[in-house]
Each structure stands twice: as C-alpha cells, then as structure tokens.
Amino acid sequence: MSGRGRLALCAAAATLAAACSLLPLVQSVGWLLQAAFLLAIVVGAGGLARRVPVARPLTVALQALLVLLLLTLAFAREQAVAGLVPGPDAITEFGQLLAEGSRDIGQYSIPAPVTSGIGLMLVGGVLVIGLLVDALAVTYRSAAPAGLPLLALYSVAAGLAQGGTRWLWFVPAAAGYLLLLLAEGRDRLAQWGRVFGGAAPPPSRLSAGLESGGGTVAPVRTGRRIGAVSLGIALLLPAALPSLGEGLLESQRRPQGAGSGSGGVTAVNPLVSLQNSLNQPENQEVLSYRTTEENTQDLYLRIVALDRFDGTSWNPSRRPVGPVPDQLPPPAGLEPSVKTTPFDLTVSASDAYRQGWLPMPYPATRVEIGGRWSFEPEGRTLVGDRGQTTQGVDYQVSSLRVEPTAEQLAAAGSPPADVVREYGGVPDSLPDVVAQTAVDVTDGAGNDYEKAVRLQDWFSSEGGFTYDTDVDAGTGSDAITRFLDQKEGFCVHFAFSMAAMARTLGIPARVAIGFAPGTPTAGGTVSVGLRDAHAWPELYFENVGWVRFEPTPTRGSVPDYALPETPSGGADDPAVPQPAETDLPSSEPSASDSCPPDLRRLGECEPPPAQAAGGSGDGGPPLGTVLLWVTAALVLLAVPLLPLLWRVRLRGRRLGAGPGRAADDTVGRILAAWRELIDSAWDYGILPDDAQTPRRAAARIVADGGLAGEAAEAAERVAAAVEQALYAPEPRPAPGIAE
C-alpha cells in the first residue's frame, strides 16, 4: 500500500476511534457500523480521485457530493429522485429529520434510542468529520490540524456524557489521532530519506513537503505543538463544559429504562417533552380518531406509565416485552363487579408524529396494528421495536370505560403486598415536608379514596395553585418542594406531586403520560394536538385496579367517581372536551358553552385571554424549521468552497511577507515559493514526485503542463533558486521569486 493510502486508512480509523466516544449516548451500535461503511466509500473515492489525479479542491468537492448522496440513500431514499439524487422533497425530509432529532435529544434520556433523526445526526456528523480529516491529512498533507475536527467530535460526546468513566473514551480518540500523526511522519521520512547534517541545519525537503527555516525540524515541531495543544484542550474542555440536565443531555447517573434492544421500555424525560409540546407556537395535530364512545370528555390516550420514583425523577421500570397478543390480558385488580362499557377506537397518526409508544385508552383489550410492535403487560403499553414509530400508522383499539362508584372505591381493601412493594416505595431523599403536607391535606379522611379526592381537590381548586407552562421548577424531590411553595406549574408538577404524596400515605401510585381528550371536529373525528400532551396520576384500589385522577386545574376533566358531589344533570351535560390550553384565541366558544360541568362547579371557567398577535398556525412551516432548512442549504453550499478558501489563504501566506517572517528570511521565501509552484501544478493535475531533484521536478512541470516561453523560464528560475538556497554555503536572495 502506498504512503498516501496508509495515511487515508489512518485518517478513517482516527475518525471512527473518535466516534466511539458517542457510543455511551445511545443504545445501539448499528449506526457506527453504518457510518464506518459509508466513510469507507468516501475515503475510497478520495483515493481514486487523487490517483487520477484531480485538483485538490475538486477532490474534496467530489467527496462532499458523495457524502450528500450517501446520506440521501440512507435516510431520504423515498423522497429522492431515482432513490439517490436529493431533490426538494429530500431536502425537506432532511430538515424534518434534523428537527425531530433535536426534539428527540431533548426528550430521551441517556442512553437514547437511535431514532431516524438522531441516526442522521450521528452518521452525518461522522461522515462530515471524516471528510474534513481526510481532506486535511491526506489531500492537503497536514495531519496535525486534522486533530481539530477529531477534537470537536470527542468534545461533543464528552460534554454530553456524564459519569466517572467518560475519560476512558478519550483513549481511542487520542490513539487514533496519534496514529494519524505517526503515519504522516513515517510517510514524510520515507519520502526524504537521510537528513544530512552540517554547520547550518539544511532543509530536508525538495518539493511539496519543504518548509521554511530548518527542514524537518519545523514540521515536526509544528506537529508536536499542535498535537500537544489539541490533546490538552481535549482533556480540559470537557471539565469546563457546563453540566446539562435535560433529556438526552441528562446525567447518566439518572435511572434509565432499557430500549427495545434489551427487551424493555425506554426512559423518557416527560418534563422536557411535555413542556416543549405545551409551549409550541401552534397546536399541530398529531392524532385523529373516531370512536363509538359517546362521551369523549374522559377519553384520555395513555402512552406510558412512570412507576419508578427515586426522589430525583420518575421513569418507567425495566420490564420484559413480548409479541402483541390477539386479546390483551385482563387489567390488574379489576373485578367483574365494577361496571365497564366496551368501546372501539380507530386512530390515525400524522406523518409528523414519531413516538416509540402507542397512544391508547386505558385499559385496552385488543389492538390491531401493522409493523413491529411489542407488548409490555405490566404497564399495558405497546412499544415500537427496531425503530418502529407511530409515524403515519393507522390502528384500531378496543377498550373499556371503567365506571367505579364512590362507594366501591371507598370500600376497597388493602392492596396486595407485591403492588405496595412495586408502586408504593418512597425514597429517603424525599423531603419530610412532602409527607407532612399530605397528612395535613388529608386530615380527617376516613379511607384511601377520601384521601385521594382531597389531594386532587387541594391541587385543582382549594390550594391556590396556578397552571403555568413557563415555570422553571425542574424535576425530582426539590422540584416538588419548590412547587408546593411557589404553587405554580403545569401538569407534570401536579401529577408528580400528587403521586408522590399518595405514596407517602400508603396508596400505590404512578404517573401516566399521554394526551388529554382532544377536540371534536365537524367531520365526526376528534383531533389531538401537541398542546393536548398531558400527565396525570393513577392510584391503585383493590378490586378496581388503576384509577385516574385529575389534579391539574383547567386541564382535562375530573372523572365522575372523583367528584366530591356527583352532578345530578350529568346525562344532560354536553360532551364537550376541555380546551387543550388556556391561551386560546378569543374567537373560541365562550366558557359557559365549552367548559365541562365539573370545572364550572369549581369556578375555573373564566374567559380565556386573547392570543398574542403572531399569525395563525396554517401559514406554513414554523420559522425555526425554515431557518434550519436555510442553514442546512448554506452548509451544503459552503462545504465545497472550504478547500478553495484554504488554498487562497495558503497561497497568500506563501507568496506574501507572512506574519512574523523576518525580512532576511531568504531560504524561507524561496522554499515557500517552491511549495506553491508544486501545489499549483498539482491543482492542474500534475502529481508531485518527491523523489526528483528541484531541477528535474521543474522540467517535468514544464513538459507535462505544456509551459513555454516566460512561464517555462520562470519555473526553471525557481528551481535554480531552490538548489542555490539548499546547497550554497551562503544562500543568496532571489529578488522577484514570488512574482
């Protein structure tokens, strides 16, 4: 293998070694294998282009174009022209994937599943870094600066991944960079052979590798210095980066769920995902459904249940999953004596909604859906397998409307020991004020049901709490104490706090994440938007099972069994769902027409404030998405120009005075002009031959380049000046050599 081929191989290996530092951030390693395969194609194409030979800027441009084609083939094949050429639809798909990847980063905790958006970011990032390293180290023969892209890749991983073992991933990244430097140094020494010593240290290079002032000493010292600085920055920069605490950026010390690869449910940061959804500028539809259920006011679509509370966060437990059965097993704890009404639901998910869990009413009894889905029986959830999401899927669900009476809930016996052990644990880190507040609020209650209703009413109407999606109250036990003190928050805070307080009272509890009922449309369907994202507590009562409560004021609807007094006219009340948010435009129906009876009774039906001016939600894509597309297009246009800009800057430095260059640096000026002559010939396809003397190299450039007259004489004068500078006891100035 030629020296340049070995250098290209080492550049690719260094890139993949640095990319290994990203492995702790996600669950699967398949993306790295895909990136390695695609990077091998890009590096191989660069090697072929350099052998043709092709001018260096054109080589890099061809590799950049190949990167775009490969990413299109891998991530936007269906939208591309002929499955390969990126057209407007493919560019739009890239923009959507990048936007979804950004949302996924904020939604999932480490290790995150490799969704399509995150996969594009990972594979695309490795390919871009690999292209830069190959261009610097191989095409432009400057291995030392190639450490900067590697440093950027490692620094991103080190800044996101937390924990005591993150420094171990620096070892393969540093080893890859040192291997690249070693390969370049070996290639340089092999080209120039023995370095002769003397009174004055002569330069050891005669062609493209010549450096000013000292031959091999200057490039070796420069490489050492850049390498030392790069390694030092790589060690110090992660320690200086701020610790980020949300979603994929959250600490690895936070308990995580297992992804589909390990047969379980993946953890999600509901605080981040719900707050982001509730604060969207427009209520984008994610689902629509038709149902045989007459009253959709209580039809919540549940995604996942968070049952593990460690005092810092709520997460789903690691549980085994299996194939989706034709008939789902009976819900835990529900006895035949409790009234249930079956109903059916036909759901259509939008193409913009990608979720690894399937939204369903609880408790579903049957699900008909295509694709790769698994069933987790304890939480009664369907989980996507091997990248399966809800994007564009249609499915049918049969479910039960459970209607326990207040008497049945009040008469519920003690829950089984295994339920208490699984869903009743309270960590020692939970502040005492939480349990004390729960005792004070429920003082005088005769049973667990009365305690649950008092907690719900205290949060929703009697405790002075305010619904606000803009608060920054954090998560975990500290968030609960701040929330109880400030009394401002949104559904996550209400659900988390009520579930934690219920556990302190001995009531098994968990938190459900999903969607509030949605809004009926004129066509007979119900539309569910991003702002319908919701969280609510579920408490366990023996012989009834898991029961929903609604502590969040002005959101959702309080079930009839949880009302302090059951409305007498419930059958005549209009089945109009509660609006999904409190900041609807003034053109919406009045509070008396749209407010559910339970909220009217609580006095929570004030007219909503007018929406701030800013345009409707149907005027095109959001501004952020447009800016993302424009930025991506500019980056794609700028990447092929980077080699040209680098070349222009390098030419100016060589032929100009140069920063810090002494006026009497005769040898430096001559050798810089010689290197520029060699590289200019290379730009026109005349590959350097480092084994030739300056005079023979100049004659070859004249012959292969078809130079004649003044141009040929100029090349010969430069070669003669180089020989005089290298071998004369006292190098003489060469006026006008740059010209």
Side-chain angles (χ1 to χ4, degrees):
M1 180 184 295
S2 65
R4 195 175 295 273
R6 286 194 300 268
L7 192 59
L9 183 61
C10 290
T15 302
L16 294 176
C20 289
S21 59
L22 298 170
L23 289 175
L25 302 180
V26 291
Q27 296 169 356
S28 173
V29 299
W31 68 270
L32 185 59
L33 300 178
Q34 183 183 25
F37 176 73
L38 298 180
L39 182 60
I41 297 176
V42 175
V43 171
L48 292 176
R50 287 185 289 265
R51 288 178 65 89
V52 169
V54 175
R56 290 185 289 185
L58 184 57
T59 298
V60 179
L62 290 175
Q63 288 180 290
L65 178 60
L66 182 59
V67 167
L68 179 59
L69 294 177
L70 291 176
L71 290 177
T72 302
L73 183 64
F75 294 96
R77 181 170 57 251
E78 296 180 358
Q79 292 78 18
V81 179
L84 181 63
V85 180
D89 292 341
I91 299 300
T92 301
E93 177 68 9
F94 279 135
Q96 291 178 350
L97 288 176
L98 291 175
E100 291 166 4
S102 299
R103 289 196 297 268
D104 292 339
I105 288 175
Q107 176 181 1
Y108 292 105
S109 52
I110 297 174
V114 183
T115 63
S116 298
I118 293 178
L120 174 60
M121 289 182 169
L122 291 172
V123 177
V126 172
L127 289 184
V128 171
I129 295 296
L131 173 60
L132 292 176
V133 173
D134 185 77
L136 291 171
V138 188
T139 303
Y140 284 93
R141 307 298 296 274
S142 299
L148 297 178
L150 298 176
L151 172 63
L153 186 61
Y154 167 75
S155 297
V156 169
L160 299 186
Q162 305 291 326
T165 61
R166 59 179 177 175
W167 64 270
L168 290 175
W169 294 103
F170 177 72
V171 175
Y177 179 48
L178 294 177
L179 179 66
L180 183 62
L181 292 178
L182 180 62
E184 189 214 19
R186 181 178 179 182
D187 184 46
R188 287 177 181 268
L189 293 177
Q191 291 171 1
W192 292 105
R194 182 178 173 210
V195 178
F196 292 93
S204 61
R205 303 207 51 153
L206 300 178
S207 59
L210 290 175
E211 298 288 344
S212 61
T216 58
V217 177
V220 170
R221 286 180 177 174
T222 302
R224 289 174 179 171
R225 290 168 183 168
I226 295 179
V229 171
S230 299
L231 295 178
I233 293 176
L235 287 172
L236 297 177
L237 183 60
L241 288 175
S243 176
L244 304 174
E246 293 181 343
L248 181 57
L249 311 182
E250 194 161 4
S251 170
Q252 281 184 310
R253 292 171 293 184
R254 172 178 178 168
Q256 309 300 335
S260 58
S262 58
V265 178
T266 306
V268 65
N269 187 336
L271 176 66
V272 177
S273 59
L274 273 171
Q275 190 167 25
N276 288 343
S277 298
L278 294 171
N279 287 324
Q280 289 298 310
E282 56 181 294
N283 191 23
Q284 181 181 4
E285 182 180 88
V286 294
L287 299 169
S288 64
Y289 65 84
R290 293 181 179 273
T291 179
T292 58
E293 173 64 46
E294 295 182 358
N295 182 9
T296 61
Q297 181 175 329
D298 294 326
L299 208 162
Y300 283 50
L301 297 179
R302 185 171 170 276
I303 296 176
V304 65
L306 312 180
D307 53 22
R308 188 176 62 188
F309 180 52
D310 62 355
T312 303
S313 59
W314 287 81
N315 286 287
S317 297
R318 299 174 182 264
R319 303 186 188 279
V321 297
V324 181
D326 293 337
Q327 193 73 24
L328 303 188
L334 181 60
E335 296 294 330
S337 57
V338 178
K339 179 184 177 181
T340 59
T341 304
F343 65 92
D344 296 322
L345 200 73
T346 301
V347 187
S348 295
S350 71
D351 291 335
Y353 179 55
R354 299 188 183 188
Q355 172 62 261
W357 293 274
L358 194 68
M360 302 184 299
Y362 182 87
T365 58
R366 181 181 177 87
V367 182
E368 297 181 12
I369 186 172
R372 302 178 299 274
W373 295 91
S374 298
F375 178 64
E376 193 276 288
E378 183 67 22
R380 301 184 68 83
T381 57
L382 260 64
V383 186
D385 189 20
R386 300 190 303 278
Q388 176 69 56
T389 69
T390 56
Q391 183 184 22
V393 302
D394 298 323
Y395 57 99
Q396 293 79 40
V397 182
S398 298
S399 188
L400 298 175
R401 175 157 56 93
V402 182
E403 303 174 87
T405 63
E407 291 75 14
Q408 288 174 319
L409 292 170
S414 299
D418 59 335
V419 174
V420 175
R421 183 173 57 254
E422 188 75 16
Y423 302 100
V426 178
D428 297 334
S429 60
L430 190 67
D432 295 337
V433 65
V434 178
Q436 185 58 50
T437 303
V439 172
D440 294 342
V441 171
T442 60
D443 184 34
N447 51 61
D448 288 347
Y449 164 69
E450 292 182 7
K451 293 178 182 179
V453 172
R454 290 196 182 187
L455 285 177
Q456 172 190 265
D457 293 344
W458 184 67
F459 281 114
S460 63
S461 60
E462 299 172 2
F465 287 86
T466 302
Y467 181 83
D468 186 357
T469 61
D470 294 325
V471 298
D472 184 16
T475 57
S477 56
D478 292 339
I480 294 178
T481 55
R482 285 197 299 271
F483 172 62
L484 295 179
D485 178 60
Q486 299 171 4
K487 296 191 175 183
E488 291 183 348
F490 57 100
C491 55
V492 168
H493 301 95
F494 288 95
F496 281 12
S497 300
M498 180 173 171
M501 293 171 73
R503 285 194 176 189
T504 65
L505 298 173
I507 307 174
R510 63 190 185 188
V511 176
I513 303 295
F515 293 100
T519 305
T521 66
T525 63
V526 178
S527 175
V528 179
L530 282 175
R531 292 182 185 173
D532 292 308
H534 194 41
W536 60 92
E538 293 180 343
L539 277 57
Y540 184 88
F541 291 89
E542 184 64 11
N543 300 328
V544 179
W546 290 103
V547 177
R548 175 181 69 85
F549 287 84
E550 185 53 87
T552 306
T554 72
R555 290 282 291 174
S557 63
V558 178
D560 289 343
Y561 53 77
L563 293 172
E565 53 181 279
T566 304
S568 59
D572 299 326
D573 293 331
V576 181
Q578 174 71 11
E581 64 281 332
T582 60
D583 55 349
L584 292 174
S586 58
S587 59
E588 292 294 319
S590 65
S592 61
D593 293 332
S594 61
C595 187
D598 53 277
L599 292 184
R600 264 205 308 274
R601 181 183 56 79
L602 296 175
E604 295 291 346
C605 294
E606 294 84 357
Q611 187 177 16
S616 64
D618 3 336
L623 178 60
T625 303
V626 174
L627 293 177
L628 183 63
W629 294 349
V630 173
T631 303
L634 292 177
V635 169
L636 292 176
L637 292 175
V639 167
L641 296 178
L642 292 178
L644 174 62
L645 298 177
W646 179 282
R647 186 72 181 87
V648 171
R649 180 176 179 273
L650 184 61
R651 181 184 181 89
R653 292 187 60 184
R654 287 172 174 172
L655 301 184
R661 176 175 290 170
D664 57 351
D665 186 9
T666 300
V667 175
R669 293 176 183 277
I670 294 174
L671 297 184
W674 176 249
R675 289 200 64 187
E676 181 57 32
L677 175 61
I678 294 296
D679 285 351
S680 297
W682 194 355
D683 291 340
Y684 285 94
I686 303 175
L687 196 65
D689 186 354
D690 297 337
Q692 293 181 335
T693 64
R695 187 171 303 183
R696 291 183 62 85
R700 177 169 168 268
I701 291 174
V702 170
D704 292 351
L707 304 183
E710 185 178 353
E713 294 173 0
E716 293 169 356
R717 284 199 303 272
V718 174
V722 170
E723 290 183 339
Q724 186 273 142
L726 290 177
Y727 304 120
E730 302 240 349
R732 296 190 306 272
I737 190 168
E739 291 75 11

